[in-house]
Amino acid sequence: MNKEERNTYTIETDENLGVVQIADEVVAIIAGLAAMEVEGVSSMAGNATRELIEKLGMKSLSKGVKVDVLEGIVTVSLALNLKYGRSIKETTMKVQEKVKAAIENMTGLTVADVNIRVAGVDMPDEE
């Protein structure tokens, strides 16, 4: 990603200490990590499974995440694959809560919306 393509957001300003900015990709990674922590989420739609994240690193987490920040208000859109047999409503509600809390706690930005698209359902591996 070119430097010109990266959006950054000021999260805290202090005239005496300077400015703190955060890249939108960082907000997307926070959202992806929070979503993957929820039981019932199999992967990000873009194949960012837990194993793949360990191998490829955090950047793969932002693949199924779109972040828009306007005047300190965040809108997040996630595309997820869920585990078969889990309640879609319950799982997605937990993801929304966890993503909102993670972004707000870590960045100080306000999350207005966490939109989720269920892209697929992963069947359990038969052993």
mmCIF file of all heavy atoms in Angstrom, residues 62-112:
data_model
loop_
_atom_site.group_PDB
_atom_site.id
_atom_site.type_symbol
_atom_site.label_atom_id
_atom_site.label_comp_id
_atom_site.label_asym_id
_atom_site.label_seq_id
_atom_site.Cartn_x
_atom_site.Cartn_y
_atom_site.Cartn_z
ATOM 1 N N SER A 62 -6.653 -7.461 8.033
ATOM 2 C CA SER A 62 -7.401 -6.321 7.512
ATOM 3 C C SER A 62 -8.058 -6.624 6.167
ATOM 4 O O SER A 62 -8.782 -5.785 5.642
ATOM 5 C CB SER A 62 -6.496 -5.092 7.403
ATOM 6 O OG SER A 62 -5.445 -5.332 6.500
ATOM 7 N N LYS A 63 -7.854 -7.812 5.616
ATOM 8 C CA LYS A 63 -8.385 -8.151 4.290
ATOM 9 C C LYS A 63 -9.910 -8.119 4.227
ATOM 10 O O LYS A 63 -10.470 -7.658 3.264
ATOM 11 C CB LYS A 63 -7.884 -9.520 3.829
ATOM 12 C CG LYS A 63 -6.392 -9.600 3.665
ATOM 13 C CD LYS A 63 -5.895 -8.754 2.513
ATOM 14 C CE LYS A 63 -4.413 -8.942 2.341
ATOM 15 N NZ LYS A 63 -3.720 -7.779 1.866
ATOM 16 N N GLY A 64 -10.597 -8.618 5.223
ATOM 17 C CA GLY A 64 -12.054 -8.646 5.197
ATOM 18 C C GLY A 64 -12.693 -7.495 5.953
ATOM 19 O O GLY A 64 -13.846 -7.575 6.348
ATOM 20 N N VAL A 65 -11.919 -6.416 6.152
ATOM 21 C CA VAL A 65 -12.399 -5.298 6.972
ATOM 22 C C VAL A 65 -12.296 -3.991 6.192
ATOM 23 O O VAL A 65 -11.277 -3.713 5.574
ATOM 24 C CB VAL A 65 -11.573 -5.153 8.272
ATOM 25 C CG1 VAL A 65 -12.144 -4.054 9.152
ATOM 26 C CG2 VAL A 65 -11.506 -6.462 9.032
ATOM 27 N N LYS A 66 -13.357 -3.202 6.240
ATOM 28 C CA LYS A 66 -13.331 -1.857 5.663
ATOM 29 C C LYS A 66 -13.646 -0.885 6.791
ATOM 30 O O LYS A 66 -14.583 -1.081 7.547
ATOM 31 C CB LYS A 66 -14.379 -1.735 4.561
ATOM 32 C CG LYS A 66 -14.381 -0.383 3.855
ATOM 33 C CD LYS A 66 -15.397 -0.387 2.718
ATOM 34 C CE LYS A 66 -15.389 0.899 1.938
ATOM 35 N NZ LYS A 66 -15.874 2.060 2.670
ATOM 36 N N VAL A 67 -12.818 0.140 6.905
ATOM 37 C CA VAL A 67 -12.968 1.125 7.975
ATOM 38 C C VAL A 67 -13.135 2.510 7.351
ATOM 39 O O VAL A 67 -12.367 2.890 6.477
ATOM 40 C CB VAL A 67 -11.723 1.124 8.897
ATOM 41 C CG1 VAL A 67 -11.784 2.257 9.900
ATOM 42 C CG2 VAL A 67 -11.589 -0.207 9.606
ATOM 43 N N ASP A 68 -14.138 3.232 7.805
ATOM 44 C CA ASP A 68 -14.316 4.629 7.420
ATOM 45 C C ASP A 68 -14.339 5.458 8.691
ATOM 46 O O ASP A 68 -15.075 5.138 9.623
ATOM 47 C CB ASP A 68 -15.631 4.831 6.663
ATOM 48 C CG ASP A 68 -15.608 4.182 5.289
ATOM 49 O OD1 ASP A 68 -14.661 4.452 4.539
ATOM 50 O OD2 ASP A 68 -16.537 3.403 4.991
ATOM 51 N N VAL A 69 -13.525 6.502 8.728
ATOM 52 C CA VAL A 69 -13.499 7.400 9.881
ATOM 53 C C VAL A 69 -13.800 8.807 9.387
ATOM 54 O O VAL A 69 -13.137 9.303 8.484
ATOM 55 C CB VAL A 69 -12.134 7.378 10.607
ATOM 56 C CG1 VAL A 69 -12.153 8.306 11.810
ATOM 57 C CG2 VAL A 69 -11.762 5.962 11.022
ATOM 58 N N LEU A 70 -14.821 9.413 9.965
ATOM 59 C CA LEU A 70 -15.189 10.767 9.614
ATOM 60 C C LEU A 70 -15.360 11.566 10.894
ATOM 61 O O LEU A 70 -16.239 11.261 11.706
ATOM 62 C CB LEU A 70 -16.489 10.770 8.797
ATOM 63 C CG LEU A 70 -16.949 12.119 8.254
ATOM 64 C CD1 LEU A 70 -15.909 12.727 7.326
ATOM 65 C CD2 LEU A 70 -18.273 11.954 7.531
ATOM 66 N N GLU A 71 -14.468 12.522 11.102
ATOM 67 C CA GLU A 71 -14.486 13.379 12.286
ATOM 68 C C GLU A 71 -14.512 12.578 13.593
ATOM 69 O O GLU A 71 -15.285 12.855 14.496
ATOM 70 C CB GLU A 71 -15.666 14.353 12.217
ATOM 71 C CG GLU A 71 -15.554 15.326 11.058
ATOM 72 C CD GLU A 71 -16.758 16.252 10.952
ATOM 73 O OE1 GLU A 71 -17.569 16.310 11.888
ATOM 74 O OE2 GLU A 71 -16.867 16.927 9.914
ATOM 75 N N GLY A 72 -13.671 11.559 13.654
ATOM 76 C CA GLY A 72 -13.540 10.767 14.872
ATOM 77 C C GLY A 72 -14.607 9.707 15.073
ATOM 78 O O GLY A 72 -14.621 9.006 16.073
ATOM 79 N N ILE A 73 -15.522 9.561 14.113
ATOM 80 C CA ILE A 73 -16.582 8.553 14.190
ATOM 81 C C ILE A 73 -16.245 7.438 13.201
ATOM 82 O O ILE A 73 -16.010 7.685 12.020
ATOM 83 C CB ILE A 73 -17.970 9.148 13.847
ATOM 84 C CG1 ILE A 73 -18.272 10.389 14.694
ATOM 85 C CG2 ILE A 73 -19.055 8.089 13.989
ATOM 86 C CD1 ILE A 73 -18.404 10.134 16.168
ATOM 87 N N VAL A 74 -16.227 6.203 13.705
ATOM 88 C CA VAL A 74 -15.809 5.048 12.906
ATOM 89 C C VAL A 74 -17.008 4.222 12.459
ATOM 90 O O VAL A 74 -17.910 3.944 13.250
ATOM 91 C CB VAL A 74 -14.868 4.132 13.727
ATOM 92 C CG1 VAL A 74 -14.391 2.947 12.893
ATOM 93 C CG2 VAL A 74 -13.700 4.909 14.286
ATOM 94 N N THR A 75 -16.978 3.828 11.206
ATOM 95 C CA THR A 75 -17.916 2.831 10.674
ATOM 96 C C THR A 75 -17.061 1.671 10.181
ATOM 97 O O THR A 75 -16.124 1.874 9.398
ATOM 98 C CB THR A 75 -18.751 3.401 9.514
ATOM 99 O OG1 THR A 75 -19.495 4.512 9.995
ATOM 100 C CG2 THR A 75 -19.706 2.358 8.971
ATOM 101 N N VAL A 76 -17.368 0.473 10.671
ATOM 102 C CA VAL A 76 -16.599 -0.719 10.321
ATOM 103 C C VAL A 76 -17.501 -1.680 9.558
ATOM 104 O O VAL A 76 -18.653 -1.891 9.944
ATOM 105 C CB VAL A 76 -16.084 -1.432 11.595
ATOM 106 C CG1 VAL A 76 -15.254 -2.657 11.231
ATOM 107 C CG2 VAL A 76 -15.285 -0.494 12.469
ATOM 108 N N SER A 77 -16.981 -2.256 8.490
ATOM 109 C CA SER A 77 -17.688 -3.302 7.763
ATOM 110 C C SER A 77 -16.783 -4.528 7.725
ATOM 111 O O SER A 77 -15.617 -4.437 7.311
ATOM 112 C CB SER A 77 -18.009 -2.852 6.335
ATOM 113 O OG SER A 77 -18.868 -1.732 6.368
ATOM 114 N N LEU A 78 -17.325 -5.658 8.184
ATOM 115 C CA LEU A 78 -16.558 -6.910 8.251
ATOM 116 C C LEU A 78 -17.238 -7.972 7.397
ATOM 117 O O LEU A 78 -18.469 -8.056 7.380
ATOM 118 C CB LEU A 78 -16.531 -7.440 9.688
ATOM 119 C CG LEU A 78 -15.844 -6.614 10.748
ATOM 120 C CD1 LEU A 78 -16.506 -6.826 12.084
ATOM 121 C CD2 LEU A 78 -14.395 -7.010 10.834
ATOM 122 N N ALA A 79 -16.441 -8.781 6.726
ATOM 123 C CA ALA A 79 -16.957 -9.945 6.018
ATOM 124 C C ALA A 79 -16.380 -11.171 6.714
ATOM 125 O O ALA A 79 -15.162 -11.308 6.830
ATOM 126 C CB ALA A 79 -16.547 -9.914 4.550
ATOM 127 N N LEU A 80 -17.264 -12.025 7.229
ATOM 128 C CA LEU A 80 -16.838 -13.154 8.055
ATOM 129 C C LEU A 80 -17.365 -14.481 7.541
ATOM 130 O O LEU A 80 -18.433 -14.545 6.934
ATOM 131 C CB LEU A 80 -17.357 -12.981 9.488
ATOM 132 C CG LEU A 80 -16.990 -11.716 10.243
ATOM 133 C CD1 LEU A 80 -17.728 -11.687 11.574
ATOM 134 C CD2 LEU A 80 -15.496 -11.627 10.444
ATOM 135 N N ASN A 81 -16.625 -15.529 7.842
ATOM 136 C CA ASN A 81 -17.106 -16.895 7.697
ATOM 137 C C ASN A 81 -17.354 -17.410 9.106
ATOM 138 O O ASN A 81 -16.501 -17.263 9.982
ATOM 139 C CB ASN A 81 -16.066 -17.772 6.995
ATOM 140 C CG ASN A 81 -15.820 -17.328 5.571
ATOM 141 O OD1 ASN A 81 -16.742 -17.033 4.837
ATOM 142 N ND2 ASN A 81 -14.554 -17.259 5.184
ATOM 143 N N LEU A 82 -18.534 -17.972 9.323
ATOM 144 C CA LEU A 82 -18.890 -18.480 10.646
ATOM 145 C C LEU A 82 -18.823 -19.995 10.670
ATOM 146 O O LEU A 82 -18.880 -20.654 9.634
ATOM 147 C CB LEU A 82 -20.296 -18.003 11.022
ATOM 148 C CG LEU A 82 -20.518 -16.491 11.024
ATOM 149 C CD1 LEU A 82 -21.939 -16.171 11.478
ATOM 150 C CD2 LEU A 82 -19.508 -15.781 11.900
ATOM 151 N N LYS A 83 -18.714 -20.538 11.870
ATOM 152 C CA LYS A 83 -18.693 -21.987 12.037
ATOM 153 C C LYS A 83 -20.118 -22.522 11.921
ATOM 154 O O LYS A 83 -21.060 -21.928 12.441
ATOM 155 C CB LYS A 83 -18.109 -22.353 13.396
ATOM 156 C CG LYS A 83 -16.643 -22.025 13.525
ATOM 157 C CD LYS A 83 -16.111 -22.387 14.895
ATOM 158 C CE LYS A 83 -14.639 -22.007 14.996
ATOM 159 N NZ LYS A 83 -14.120 -22.218 16.364
ATOM 160 N N TYR A 84 -20.252 -23.652 11.249
ATOM 161 C CA TYR A 84 -21.558 -24.284 11.096
ATOM 162 C C TYR A 84 -22.113 -24.686 12.459
ATOM 163 O O TYR A 84 -21.384 -25.146 13.336
ATOM 164 C CB TYR A 84 -21.438 -25.527 10.205
ATOM 165 C CG TYR A 84 -22.747 -26.261 10.077
ATOM 166 C CD1 TYR A 84 -23.737 -25.794 9.226
ATOM 167 C CD2 TYR A 84 -22.994 -27.400 10.837
ATOM 168 C CE1 TYR A 84 -24.947 -26.458 9.122
ATOM 169 C CE2 TYR A 84 -24.198 -28.067 10.742
ATOM 170 C CZ TYR A 84 -25.178 -27.585 9.888
ATOM 171 O OH TYR A 84 -26.372 -28.240 9.795
ATOM 172 N N GLY A 85 -23.403 -24.493 12.637
ATOM 173 C CA GLY A 85 -24.070 -24.909 13.872
ATOM 174 C C GLY A 85 -24.177 -23.805 14.908
ATOM 175 O O GLY A 85 -24.852 -23.957 15.913
ATOM 176 N N ARG A 86 -23.510 -22.692 14.690
ATOM 177 C CA ARG A 86 -23.569 -21.565 15.628
ATOM 178 C C ARG A 86 -24.710 -20.638 15.236
ATOM 179 O O ARG A 86 -25.063 -20.530 14.066
ATOM 180 C CB ARG A 86 -22.255 -20.766 15.601
ATOM 181 C CG ARG A 86 -21.047 -21.559 15.990
ATOM 182 C CD ARG A 86 -21.066 -21.825 17.472
ATOM 183 N NE ARG A 86 -19.923 -22.626 17.841
ATOM 184 C CZ ARG A 86 -19.399 -22.617 19.041
ATOM 185 N NH1 ARG A 86 -19.899 -21.859 19.984
ATOM 186 N NH2 ARG A 86 -18.379 -23.386 19.302
ATOM 187 N N SER A 87 -25.269 -19.966 16.228
ATOM 188 C CA SER A 87 -26.307 -18.979 15.966
ATOM 189 C C SER A 87 -25.681 -17.764 15.288
ATOM 190 O O SER A 87 -24.807 -17.104 15.854
ATOM 191 C CB SER A 87 -26.970 -18.540 17.278
ATOM 192 O OG SER A 87 -27.724 -17.364 17.081
ATOM 193 N N ILE A 88 -26.141 -17.483 14.078
ATOM 194 C CA ILE A 88 -25.604 -16.341 13.337
ATOM 195 C C ILE A 88 -25.921 -15.047 14.087
ATOM 196 O O ILE A 88 -25.057 -14.189 14.252
ATOM 197 C CB ILE A 88 -26.160 -16.304 11.900
ATOM 198 C CG1 ILE A 88 -25.596 -17.487 11.118
ATOM 199 C CG2 ILE A 88 -25.828 -14.979 11.216
ATOM 200 C CD1 ILE A 88 -26.178 -17.670 9.735
ATOM 201 N N LYS A 89 -27.146 -14.931 14.565
ATOM 202 C CA LYS A 89 -27.558 -13.711 15.269
ATOM 203 C C LYS A 89 -26.715 -13.483 16.522
ATOM 204 O O LYS A 89 -26.208 -12.391 16.753
ATOM 205 C CB LYS A 89 -29.043 -13.801 15.625
ATOM 206 C CG LYS A 89 -29.583 -12.548 16.267
ATOM 207 C CD LYS A 89 -31.074 -12.665 16.524
ATOM 208 C CE LYS A 89 -31.608 -11.403 17.184
ATOM 209 N NZ LYS A 89 -33.027 -11.500 17.451
ATOM 210 N N GLU A 90 -26.560 -14.524 17.319
ATOM 211 C CA GLU A 90 -25.790 -14.425 18.567
ATOM 212 C C GLU A 90 -24.315 -14.131 18.293
ATOM 213 O O GLU A 90 -23.710 -13.264 18.933
ATOM 214 C CB GLU A 90 -25.904 -15.751 19.325
ATOM 215 C CG GLU A 90 -26.012 -15.609 20.811
ATOM 216 C CD GLU A 90 -26.266 -16.975 21.447
ATOM 217 O OE1 GLU A 90 -27.432 -17.400 21.507
ATOM 218 O OE2 GLU A 90 -25.270 -17.605 21.854
ATOM 219 N N THR A 91 -23.735 -14.847 17.347
ATOM 220 C CA THR A 91 -22.317 -14.682 17.029
ATOM 221 C C THR A 91 -22.037 -13.287 16.488
ATOM 222 O O THR A 91 -21.086 -12.622 16.920
ATOM 223 C CB THR A 91 -21.857 -15.756 16.011
ATOM 224 O OG1 THR A 91 -22.128 -17.053 16.556
ATOM 225 C CG2 THR A 91 -20.373 -15.629 15.716
ATOM 226 N N THR A 92 -22.867 -12.821 15.562
ATOM 227 C CA THR A 92 -22.627 -11.504 14.977
ATOM 228 C C THR A 92 -22.844 -10.389 15.993
ATOM 229 O O THR A 92 -22.126 -9.385 15.968
ATOM 230 C CB THR A 92 -23.495 -11.264 13.722
ATOM 231 O OG1 THR A 92 -24.875 -11.493 14.043
ATOM 232 C CG2 THR A 92 -23.066 -12.168 12.579
ATOM 233 N N MET A 93 -23.776 -10.578 16.912
ATOM 234 C CA MET A 93 -23.991 -9.572 17.957
ATOM 235 C C MET A 93 -22.752 -9.476 18.859
ATOM 236 O O MET A 93 -22.308 -8.384 19.212
ATOM 237 C CB MET A 93 -25.222 -9.918 18.804
ATOM 238 C CG MET A 93 -25.690 -8.762 19.670
ATOM 239 S SD MET A 93 -27.141 -9.115 20.706
ATOM 240 C CE MET A 93 -28.180 -10.085 19.648
ATOM 241 N N LYS A 94 -22.157 -10.627 19.187
ATOM 242 C CA LYS A 94 -20.939 -10.640 20.003
ATOM 243 C C LYS A 94 -19.780 -9.977 19.257
ATOM 244 O O LYS A 94 -18.979 -9.266 19.858
ATOM 245 C CB LYS A 94 -20.566 -12.069 20.388
ATOM 246 C CG LYS A 94 -21.465 -12.662 21.457
ATOM 247 C CD LYS A 94 -21.065 -14.082 21.786
ATOM 248 C CE LYS A 94 -22.042 -14.701 22.766
ATOM 249 N NZ LYS A 94 -21.818 -16.140 22.936
ATOM 250 N N VAL A 95 -19.695 -10.232 17.956
ATOM 251 C CA VAL A 95 -18.645 -9.613 17.147
ATOM 252 C C VAL A 95 -18.814 -8.100 17.158
ATOM 253 O O VAL A 95 -17.848 -7.354 17.363
ATOM 254 C CB VAL A 95 -18.642 -10.156 15.696
ATOM 255 C CG1 VAL A 95 -17.738 -9.320 14.797
ATOM 256 C CG2 VAL A 95 -18.217 -11.613 15.662
ATOM 257 N N GLN A 96 -20.042 -7.632 16.960
ATOM 258 C CA GLN A 96 -20.297 -6.189 16.952
ATOM 259 C C GLN A 96 -19.874 -5.555 18.273
ATOM 260 O O GLN A 96 -19.201 -4.523 18.293
ATOM 261 C CB GLN A 96 -21.771 -5.902 16.678
ATOM 262 C CG GLN A 96 -22.168 -6.174 15.236
ATOM 263 C CD GLN A 96 -23.661 -6.088 15.011
ATOM 264 O OE1 GLN A 96 -24.453 -6.613 15.791
ATOM 265 N NE2 GLN A 96 -24.049 -5.437 13.924
ATOM 266 N N GLU A 97 -20.261 -6.176 19.378
ATOM 267 C CA GLU A 97 -19.921 -5.642 20.703
ATOM 268 C C GLU A 97 -18.406 -5.630 20.925
ATOM 269 O O GLU A 97 -17.836 -4.655 21.404
ATOM 270 C CB GLU A 97 -20.595 -6.470 21.800
ATOM 271 C CG GLU A 97 -22.105 -6.316 21.833
ATOM 272 C CD GLU A 97 -22.795 -7.358 22.721
ATOM 273 O OE1 GLU A 97 -22.101 -8.214 23.322
ATOM 274 O OE2 GLU A 97 -24.039 -7.316 22.799
ATOM 275 N N LYS A 98 -17.754 -6.745 20.565
ATOM 276 C CA LYS A 98 -16.316 -6.886 20.808
ATOM 277 C C LYS A 98 -15.505 -5.917 19.938
ATOM 278 O O LYS A 98 -14.550 -5.297 20.412
ATOM 279 C CB LYS A 98 -15.885 -8.322 20.543
ATOM 280 C CG LYS A 98 -14.494 -8.630 20.977
ATOM 281 C CD LYS A 98 -14.461 -9.927 21.721
ATOM 282 C CE LYS A 98 -13.077 -10.116 22.277
ATOM 283 N NZ LYS A 98 -13.061 -10.939 23.439
ATOM 284 N N VAL A 99 -15.880 -5.776 18.677
ATOM 285 C CA VAL A 99 -15.180 -4.875 17.762
ATOM 286 C C VAL A 99 -15.343 -3.426 18.228
ATOM 287 O O VAL A 99 -14.377 -2.668 18.286
ATOM 288 C CB VAL A 99 -15.685 -5.055 16.306
ATOM 289 C CG1 VAL A 99 -15.205 -3.939 15.399
ATOM 290 C CG2 VAL A 99 -15.239 -6.411 15.762
ATOM 291 N N LYS A 100 -16.553 -3.049 18.572
ATOM 292 C CA LYS A 100 -16.822 -1.681 19.052
ATOM 293 C C LYS A 100 -15.982 -1.379 20.288
ATOM 294 O O LYS A 100 -15.289 -0.363 20.351
ATOM 295 C CB LYS A 100 -18.311 -1.526 19.364
ATOM 296 C CG LYS A 100 -18.703 -0.158 19.911
ATOM 297 C CD LYS A 100 -20.218 -0.091 20.136
ATOM 298 C CE LYS A 100 -20.750 1.101 20.842
ATOM 299 N NZ LYS A 100 -20.194 2.377 20.647
ATOM 300 N N ALA A 101 -15.998 -2.279 21.260
ATOM 301 C CA ALA A 101 -15.250 -2.071 22.504
ATOM 302 C C ALA A 101 -13.749 -2.003 22.249
ATOM 303 O O ALA A 101 -13.057 -1.137 22.798
ATOM 304 C CB ALA A 101 -15.571 -3.187 23.501
ATOM 305 N N ALA A 102 -13.228 -2.891 21.408
ATOM 306 C CA ALA A 102 -11.788 -2.928 21.142
ATOM 307 C C ALA A 102 -11.315 -1.631 20.488
ATOM 308 O O ALA A 102 -10.314 -1.042 20.907
ATOM 309 C CB ALA A 102 -11.435 -4.129 20.264
ATOM 310 N N ILE A 103 -12.032 -1.172 19.471
ATOM 311 C CA ILE A 103 -11.619 0.052 18.775
ATOM 312 C C ILE A 103 -11.716 1.252 19.711
ATOM 313 O O ILE A 103 -10.790 2.066 19.790
ATOM 314 C CB ILE A 103 -12.455 0.280 17.494
ATOM 315 C CG1 ILE A 103 -12.115 -0.789 16.464
ATOM 316 C CG2 ILE A 103 -12.202 1.681 16.924
ATOM 317 C CD1 ILE A 103 -13.012 -0.793 15.244
ATOM 318 N N GLU A 104 -12.821 1.371 20.427
ATOM 319 C CA GLU A 104 -12.997 2.517 21.316
ATOM 320 C C GLU A 104 -11.966 2.520 22.439
ATOM 321 O O GLU A 104 -11.391 3.567 22.760
ATOM 322 C CB GLU A 104 -14.421 2.550 21.865
ATOM 323 C CG GLU A 104 -15.430 2.930 20.804
ATOM 324 C CD GLU A 104 -16.864 3.029 21.282
ATOM 325 O OE1 GLU A 104 -17.172 2.575 22.415
ATOM 326 O OE2 GLU A 104 -17.687 3.566 20.517
ATOM 327 N N ASN A 105 -11.698 1.357 23.036
ATOM 328 C CA ASN A 105 -10.736 1.281 24.137
ATOM 329 C C ASN A 105 -9.303 1.544 23.678
ATOM 330 O O ASN A 105 -8.532 2.181 24.381
ATOM 331 C CB ASN A 105 -10.807 -0.078 24.837
ATOM 332 C CG ASN A 105 -12.089 -0.267 25.604
ATOM 333 O OD1 ASN A 105 -12.760 0.690 25.971
ATOM 334 N ND2 ASN A 105 -12.450 -1.520 25.827
ATOM 335 N N MET A 106 -8.938 1.048 22.503
ATOM 336 C CA MET A 106 -7.555 1.161 22.056
ATOM 337 C C MET A 106 -7.237 2.484 21.360
ATOM 338 O O MET A 106 -6.099 2.927 21.395
ATOM 339 C CB MET A 106 -7.202 -0.009 21.138
ATOM 340 C CG MET A 106 -7.175 -1.336 21.880
ATOM 341 S SD MET A 106 -6.736 -2.708 20.815
ATOM 342 C CE MET A 106 -4.977 -2.411 20.646
ATOM 343 N N THR A 107 -8.239 3.099 20.718
ATOM 344 C CA THR A 107 -7.947 4.305 19.932
ATOM 345 C C THR A 107 -8.576 5.577 20.485
ATOM 346 O O THR A 107 -8.123 6.667 20.158
ATOM 347 C CB THR A 107 -8.448 4.154 18.478
ATOM 348 O OG1 THR A 107 -9.882 4.116 18.471
ATOM 349 C CG2 THR A 107 -7.871 2.917 17.813
ATOM 350 N N GLY A 108 -9.648 5.448 21.245
ATOM 351 C CA GLY A 108 -10.364 6.638 21.707
ATOM 352 C C GLY A 108 -11.347 7.164 20.686
ATOM 353 O O GLY A 108 -12.087 8.104 20.958
ATOM 354 N N LEU A 109 -11.371 6.557 19.490
ATOM 355 C CA LEU A 109 -12.357 6.931 18.478
ATOM 356 C C LEU A 109 -13.722 6.382 18.881
ATOM 357 O O LEU A 109 -13.814 5.417 19.643
ATOM 358 C CB LEU A 109 -11.954 6.367 17.107
ATOM 359 C CG LEU A 109 -10.651 6.895 16.504
ATOM 360 C CD1 LEU A 109 -10.221 6.018 15.338
ATOM 361 C CD2 LEU A 109 -10.814 8.336 16.060
ATOM 362 N N THR A 110 -14.794 6.968 18.376
ATOM 363 C CA THR A 110 -16.149 6.506 18.658
ATOM 364 C C THR A 110 -16.626 5.645 17.497
ATOM 365 O O THR A 110 -16.523 6.046 16.336
ATOM 366 C CB THR A 110 -17.103 7.706 18.828
ATOM 367 O OG1 THR A 110 -16.619 8.510 19.904
ATOM 368 C CG2 THR A 110 -18.518 7.253 19.134
ATOM 369 N N VAL A 111 -17.155 4.462 17.803
ATOM 370 C CA VAL A 111 -17.654 3.559 16.771
ATOM 371 C C VAL A 111 -19.165 3.735 16.660
ATOM 372 O O VAL A 111 -19.899 3.526 17.627
ATOM 373 C CB VAL A 111 -17.313 2.082 17.092
ATOM 374 C CG1 VAL A 111 -17.918 1.152 16.050
ATOM 375 C CG2 VAL A 111 -15.805 1.890 17.170
ATOM 376 N N ALA A 112 -19.613 4.144 15.480
ATOM 377 C CA ALA A 112 -21.043 4.345 15.243
ATOM 378 C C ALA A 112 -21.702 3.050 14.772
ATOM 379 O O ALA A 112 -22.784 2.689 15.242
ATOM 380 C CB ALA A 112 -21.262 5.437 14.203
#
